[in-house]
Amino acid sequence: MTLRLGYGTNGLTDLRLDDALALLADLGYDGVGLTLDHMHLDPMAPDLAARTRRTAARLGELGLGVTVETGARYVLDPRRKHGPSLLDPDPEARAARTALLVRAVDVAADLGAHAVHCFSGVLPPGTDPDTGWQRLTGALAPVLEAAARAGVPLAVEPEPGHLVARLDDFHRLRARCGRPDPLGLTLDIGHCQCLETESPADCVRAAAPWLRHVQIEDMRRGVHEHLPFGDGEIDFPPVLDALDALGAAGYLGLTVVELPRHSHAGPELARTSLDFLNKHRPPRATAEGSPS
């Protein structure tokens, strides 16, 4: 298996979901990172199962793989960005986020998705880290049980500013949860450039055993801003070479372009992003072993 590229619907929010999927298939993407949100397979609206079946059929018609992403900003609370989180002081609020993630696992199973992506959330003011870790592991337990039943991995993303911010934090989470099989990793290449001490390519290689989902964009050191390719500081050929080798390490998922603040130019950026990645990725080998 070689690198399989997708594009995130959180960067195509001005398009209807069917139009976004058709665009990505026409451009030549292998799949889609589908963010469950009010404009794209709303997880809170009626008839979710029927709408999911229609989306699954459409994905099949277009030949697109899919990972379910859960980073919608206001899907649970119209007044709090990404709220409530898995770290919320209110147990009922944490339970609402847990229920959304369990619902996302069910949707992912019905779509035949590679994984369900999520993140920890920001530690609330006045909350000590140990309390935050206790809340996080408790809130994730039902999600991991659902993931185990459904056979769909849960892929936690280290996110700058969150309790789980770096790869080391992901391993701490795995240990605190008892290293369950369904708990995997979403690696965001831009976040590696932003925060990690290792290069993005080295992060890919170090994370390979736990990888279930990959997000990719450009970024600058120390600045958490998702940028179109070429606007940041990442040296992409070594990263794409490391990603292209993931298949040999067992990675079956997608590498999804994530530009959530660029929907105003989504269709054009989807085209130029794919052109950039194909231009900078290593040549694929033929069956005889020579470059194709």
mmCIF file of all heavy atoms in Angstrom, residues 98-130:
data_model
loop_
_atom_site.group_PDB
_atom_site.id
_atom_site.type_symbol
_atom_site.label_atom_id
_atom_site.label_comp_id
_atom_site.label_asym_id
_atom_site.label_seq_id
_atom_site.Cartn_x
_atom_site.Cartn_y
_atom_site.Cartn_z
ATOM 1 N N THR A 98 -19.127 12.547 25.133
ATOM 2 C CA THR A 98 -18.958 11.096 25.014
ATOM 3 C C THR A 98 -20.035 10.503 24.113
ATOM 4 O O THR A 98 -19.748 9.675 23.239
ATOM 5 C CB THR A 98 -19.017 10.442 26.402
ATOM 6 O OG1 THR A 98 -17.897 10.879 27.180
ATOM 7 C CG2 THR A 98 -18.981 8.927 26.301
ATOM 8 N N ALA A 99 -21.284 10.929 24.314
ATOM 9 C CA ALA A 99 -22.388 10.403 23.497
ATOM 10 C C ALA A 99 -22.191 10.748 22.027
ATOM 11 O O ALA A 99 -22.489 9.927 21.142
ATOM 12 C CB ALA A 99 -23.718 10.954 24.005
ATOM 13 N N LEU A 100 -21.698 11.946 21.740
ATOM 14 C CA LEU A 100 -21.434 12.316 20.352
ATOM 15 C C LEU A 100 -20.373 11.415 19.739
ATOM 16 O O LEU A 100 -20.513 10.965 18.588
ATOM 17 C CB LEU A 100 -20.983 13.774 20.280
ATOM 18 C CG LEU A 100 -20.569 14.267 18.882
ATOM 19 C CD1 LEU A 100 -21.740 14.231 17.910
ATOM 20 C CD2 LEU A 100 -19.967 15.669 18.963
ATOM 21 N N LEU A 101 -19.331 11.110 20.498
ATOM 22 C CA LEU A 101 -18.269 10.255 19.971
ATOM 23 C C LEU A 101 -18.753 8.819 19.775
ATOM 24 O O LEU A 101 -18.367 8.154 18.802
ATOM 25 C CB LEU A 101 -17.059 10.297 20.894
ATOM 26 C CG LEU A 101 -16.341 11.649 20.980
ATOM 27 C CD1 LEU A 101 -15.185 11.576 21.970
ATOM 28 C CD2 LEU A 101 -15.851 12.092 19.611
ATOM 29 N N VAL A 102 -19.588 8.339 20.687
ATOM 30 C CA VAL A 102 -20.169 7.000 20.493
ATOM 31 C C VAL A 102 -21.026 6.990 19.231
ATOM 32 O O VAL A 102 -20.992 6.035 18.439
ATOM 33 C CB VAL A 102 -20.982 6.576 21.731
ATOM 34 C CG1 VAL A 102 -21.796 5.313 21.437
ATOM 35 C CG2 VAL A 102 -20.053 6.350 22.921
ATOM 36 N N ARG A 103 -21.795 8.040 19.021
ATOM 37 C CA ARG A 103 -22.600 8.153 17.800
ATOM 38 C C ARG A 103 -21.700 8.196 16.571
ATOM 39 O O ARG A 103 -22.004 7.581 15.542
ATOM 40 C CB ARG A 103 -23.455 9.415 17.876
ATOM 41 C CG ARG A 103 -24.497 9.537 16.779
ATOM 42 C CD ARG A 103 -25.423 10.709 17.058
ATOM 43 N NE ARG A 103 -26.066 10.589 18.359
ATOM 44 C CZ ARG A 103 -26.859 11.508 18.890
ATOM 45 N NH1 ARG A 103 -27.100 12.637 18.236
ATOM 46 N NH2 ARG A 103 -27.407 11.325 20.076
ATOM 47 N N ALA A 104 -20.569 8.883 16.666
ATOM 48 C CA ALA A 104 -19.627 8.939 15.547
ATOM 49 C C ALA A 104 -19.056 7.561 15.236
ATOM 50 O O ALA A 104 -18.835 7.223 14.066
ATOM 51 C CB ALA A 104 -18.500 9.920 15.863
ATOM 52 N N VAL A 105 -18.811 6.760 16.266
ATOM 53 C CA VAL A 105 -18.344 5.383 16.040
ATOM 54 C C VAL A 105 -19.395 4.589 15.273
ATOM 55 O O VAL A 105 -19.070 3.850 14.334
ATOM 56 C CB VAL A 105 -18.011 4.707 17.383
ATOM 57 C CG1 VAL A 105 -17.785 3.204 17.186
ATOM 58 C CG2 VAL A 105 -16.778 5.346 18.021
ATOM 59 N N ASP A 106 -20.659 4.733 15.649
ATOM 60 C CA ASP A 106 -21.724 4.024 14.936
ATOM 61 C C ASP A 106 -21.806 4.471 13.483
ATOM 62 O O ASP A 106 -21.978 3.640 12.570
ATOM 63 C CB ASP A 106 -23.064 4.261 15.633
ATOM 64 C CG ASP A 106 -23.132 3.626 17.011
ATOM 65 O OD1 ASP A 106 -22.356 2.682 17.267
ATOM 66 O OD2 ASP A 106 -23.959 4.076 17.836
ATOM 67 N N VAL A 107 -21.708 5.782 13.260
ATOM 68 C CA VAL A 107 -21.713 6.297 11.889
ATOM 69 C C VAL A 107 -20.531 5.734 11.110
ATOM 70 O O VAL A 107 -20.667 5.301 9.953
ATOM 71 C CB VAL A 107 -21.687 7.840 11.893
ATOM 72 C CG1 VAL A 107 -21.411 8.390 10.489
ATOM 73 C CG2 VAL A 107 -22.991 8.392 12.437
ATOM 74 N N ALA A 108 -19.364 5.743 11.724
ATOM 75 C CA ALA A 108 -18.168 5.233 11.058
ATOM 76 C C ALA A 108 -18.319 3.767 10.670
ATOM 77 O O ALA A 108 -17.913 3.355 9.576
ATOM 78 C CB ALA A 108 -16.952 5.417 11.961
ATOM 79 N N ALA A 109 -18.895 2.975 11.569
ATOM 80 C CA ALA A 109 -19.111 1.563 11.250
ATOM 81 C C ALA A 109 -20.035 1.410 10.052
ATOM 82 O O ALA A 109 -19.784 0.590 9.158
ATOM 83 C CB ALA A 109 -19.675 0.834 12.466
ATOM 84 N N ASP A 110 -21.098 2.214 10.003
ATOM 85 C CA ASP A 110 -22.048 2.123 8.891
ATOM 86 C C ASP A 110 -21.452 2.640 7.584
ATOM 87 O O ASP A 110 -21.880 2.226 6.501
ATOM 88 C CB ASP A 110 -23.318 2.906 9.223
ATOM 89 C CG ASP A 110 -24.137 2.239 10.317
ATOM 90 O OD1 ASP A 110 -23.914 1.031 10.573
ATOM 91 O OD2 ASP A 110 -24.982 2.918 10.933
ATOM 92 N N LEU A 111 -20.495 3.548 7.672
ATOM 93 C CA LEU A 111 -19.843 4.066 6.468
ATOM 94 C C LEU A 111 -18.688 3.176 5.998
ATOM 95 O O LEU A 111 -18.176 3.373 4.896
ATOM 96 C CB LEU A 111 -19.282 5.473 6.728
ATOM 97 C CG LEU A 111 -20.280 6.607 6.952
ATOM 98 C CD1 LEU A 111 -19.527 7.895 7.265
ATOM 99 C CD2 LEU A 111 -21.182 6.789 5.739
ATOM 100 N N GLY A 112 -18.269 2.239 6.845
ATOM 101 C CA GLY A 112 -17.069 1.467 6.524
ATOM 102 C C GLY A 112 -15.809 2.307 6.662
ATOM 103 O O GLY A 112 -14.840 2.130 5.913
ATOM 104 N N ALA A 113 -15.797 3.227 7.641
ATOM 105 C CA ALA A 113 -14.688 4.163 7.807
ATOM 106 C C ALA A 113 -13.463 3.472 8.402
ATOM 107 O O ALA A 113 -13.562 2.468 9.102
ATOM 108 C CB ALA A 113 -15.112 5.320 8.706
ATOM 109 N N HIS A 114 -12.307 4.060 8.132
ATOM 110 C CA HIS A 114 -11.049 3.525 8.644
ATOM 111 C C HIS A 114 -10.891 3.785 10.138
ATOM 112 O O HIS A 114 -10.232 3.013 10.840
ATOM 113 C CB HIS A 114 -9.862 4.160 7.908
ATOM 114 C CG HIS A 114 -9.867 3.924 6.438
ATOM 115 N ND1 HIS A 114 -9.664 2.677 5.877
ATOM 116 C CD2 HIS A 114 -10.061 4.764 5.397
ATOM 117 C CE1 HIS A 114 -9.731 2.768 4.563
ATOM 118 N NE2 HIS A 114 -9.976 4.024 4.248
ATOM 119 N N ALA A 115 -11.442 4.905 10.627
ATOM 120 C CA ALA A 115 -11.250 5.284 12.026
ATOM 121 C C ALA A 115 -12.199 6.428 12.368
ATOM 122 O O ALA A 115 -12.807 7.038 11.485
ATOM 123 C CB ALA A 115 -9.806 5.716 12.282
ATOM 124 N N VAL A 116 -12.302 6.704 13.673
ATOM 125 C CA VAL A 116 -12.976 7.898 14.183
ATOM 126 C C VAL A 116 -11.924 8.747 14.869
ATOM 127 O O VAL A 116 -11.215 8.281 15.767
ATOM 128 C CB VAL A 116 -14.095 7.544 15.176
ATOM 129 C CG1 VAL A 116 -14.627 8.800 15.854
ATOM 130 C CG2 VAL A 116 -15.215 6.816 14.484
ATOM 131 N N HIS A 117 -11.834 9.992 14.457
ATOM 132 C CA HIS A 117 -10.875 10.942 15.020
ATOM 133 C C HIS A 117 -11.518 11.718 16.162
ATOM 134 O O HIS A 117 -12.711 12.026 16.137
ATOM 135 C CB HIS A 117 -10.435 11.892 13.902
ATOM 136 C CG HIS A 117 -10.130 13.283 14.340
ATOM 137 N ND1 HIS A 117 -11.112 14.241 14.552
ATOM 138 C CD2 HIS A 117 -8.965 13.896 14.610
ATOM 139 C CE1 HIS A 117 -10.553 15.371 14.916
ATOM 140 N NE2 HIS A 117 -9.254 15.200 14.966
ATOM 141 N N CYS A 118 -10.723 12.054 17.180
ATOM 142 C CA CYS A 118 -11.183 12.958 18.234
ATOM 143 C C CYS A 118 -9.977 13.599 18.900
ATOM 144 O O CYS A 118 -8.828 13.273 18.582
ATOM 145 C CB CYS A 118 -12.048 12.227 19.262
ATOM 146 S SG CYS A 118 -11.147 11.109 20.363
ATOM 147 N N PHE A 119 -10.227 14.515 19.838
ATOM 148 C CA PHE A 119 -9.143 15.127 20.605
ATOM 149 C C PHE A 119 -9.601 15.322 22.036
ATOM 150 O O PHE A 119 -10.782 15.191 22.358
ATOM 151 C CB PHE A 119 -8.671 16.440 19.988
ATOM 152 C CG PHE A 119 -9.769 17.348 19.491
ATOM 153 C CD1 PHE A 119 -10.653 17.934 20.362
ATOM 154 C CD2 PHE A 119 -9.898 17.600 18.131
ATOM 155 C CE1 PHE A 119 -11.656 18.783 19.910
ATOM 156 C CE2 PHE A 119 -10.898 18.432 17.658
ATOM 157 C CZ PHE A 119 -11.777 19.028 18.546
ATOM 158 N N SER A 120 -8.643 15.672 22.915
ATOM 159 C CA SER A 120 -8.931 15.686 24.351
ATOM 160 C C SER A 120 -9.718 16.914 24.776
ATOM 161 O O SER A 120 -10.572 16.842 25.649
ATOM 162 C CB SER A 120 -7.618 15.641 25.139
ATOM 163 O OG SER A 120 -6.855 16.826 24.948
ATOM 164 N N GLY A 121 -9.402 18.068 24.224
ATOM 165 C CA GLY A 121 -9.922 19.335 24.700
ATOM 166 C C GLY A 121 -8.895 20.062 25.565
ATOM 167 O O GLY A 121 -7.871 19.503 25.984
ATOM 168 N N VAL A 122 -9.184 21.340 25.822
ATOM 169 C CA VAL A 122 -8.307 22.206 26.615
ATOM 170 C C VAL A 122 -8.630 22.023 28.096
ATOM 171 O O VAL A 122 -9.795 21.936 28.487
ATOM 172 C CB VAL A 122 -8.514 23.675 26.199
ATOM 173 C CG1 VAL A 122 -7.688 24.607 27.078
ATOM 174 C CG2 VAL A 122 -8.170 23.872 24.730
ATOM 175 N N LEU A 123 -7.597 21.968 28.909
ATOM 176 C CA LEU A 123 -7.789 21.859 30.362
ATOM 177 C C LEU A 123 -8.496 23.118 30.863
ATOM 178 O O LEU A 123 -8.007 24.233 30.676
ATOM 179 C CB LEU A 123 -6.442 21.699 31.053
ATOM 180 C CG LEU A 123 -6.462 21.298 32.530
ATOM 181 C CD1 LEU A 123 -6.995 19.881 32.689
ATOM 182 C CD2 LEU A 123 -5.059 21.406 33.116
ATOM 183 N N PRO A 124 -9.668 22.990 31.496
ATOM 184 C CA PRO A 124 -10.396 24.187 31.950
ATOM 185 C C PRO A 124 -9.615 24.966 33.006
ATOM 186 O O PRO A 124 -8.832 24.381 33.769
ATOM 187 C CB PRO A 124 -11.690 23.603 32.547
ATOM 188 C CG PRO A 124 -11.834 22.261 31.922
ATOM 189 C CD PRO A 124 -10.437 21.752 31.734
ATOM 190 N N PRO A 125 -9.808 26.273 33.070
ATOM 191 C CA PRO A 125 -9.131 27.078 34.091
ATOM 192 C C PRO A 125 -9.425 26.562 35.496
ATOM 193 O O PRO A 125 -10.554 26.178 35.815
ATOM 194 C CB PRO A 125 -9.732 28.477 33.896
ATOM 195 C CG PRO A 125 -10.208 28.503 32.482
ATOM 196 C CD PRO A 125 -10.657 27.101 32.185
ATOM 197 N N GLY A 126 -8.384 26.519 36.307
ATOM 198 C CA GLY A 126 -8.537 26.086 37.690
ATOM 199 C C GLY A 126 -8.552 24.576 37.877
ATOM 200 O O GLY A 126 -8.706 24.102 39.000
ATOM 201 N N THR A 127 -8.389 23.818 36.782
ATOM 202 C CA THR A 127 -8.387 22.354 36.865
ATOM 203 C C THR A 127 -6.955 21.851 36.852
ATOM 204 O O THR A 127 -6.176 22.208 35.960
ATOM 205 C CB THR A 127 -9.147 21.734 35.674
ATOM 206 O OG1 THR A 127 -10.481 22.246 35.662
ATOM 207 C CG2 THR A 127 -9.181 20.220 35.778
ATOM 208 N N ASP A 128 -6.579 21.037 37.845
ATOM 209 C CA ASP A 128 -5.218 20.512 37.859
ATOM 210 C C ASP A 128 -5.100 19.384 36.836
ATOM 211 O O ASP A 128 -6.096 18.716 36.505
ATOM 212 C CB ASP A 128 -4.839 20.012 39.252
ATOM 213 C CG ASP A 128 -5.659 18.821 39.687
ATOM 214 O OD1 ASP A 128 -5.253 17.675 39.415
ATOM 215 O OD2 ASP A 128 -6.746 19.047 40.268
ATOM 216 N N PRO A 129 -3.897 19.160 36.294
ATOM 217 C CA PRO A 129 -3.742 18.167 35.225
ATOM 218 C C PRO A 129 -4.202 16.762 35.599
ATOM 219 O O PRO A 129 -4.799 16.063 34.777
ATOM 220 C CB PRO A 129 -2.234 18.211 34.940
ATOM 221 C CG PRO A 129 -1.821 19.595 35.307
ATOM 222 C CD PRO A 129 -2.666 19.936 36.512
ATOM 223 N N ASP A 130 -3.951 16.326 36.833
ATOM 224 C CA ASP A 130 -4.344 14.968 37.189
ATOM 225 C C ASP A 130 -5.857 14.804 37.134
ATOM 226 O O ASP A 130 -6.364 13.773 36.672
ATOM 227 C CB ASP A 130 -3.836 14.615 38.585
ATOM 228 C CG ASP A 130 -4.004 13.131 38.877
ATOM 229 O OD1 ASP A 130 -3.416 12.320 38.131
ATOM 230 O OD2 ASP A 130 -4.733 12.789 39.823
#
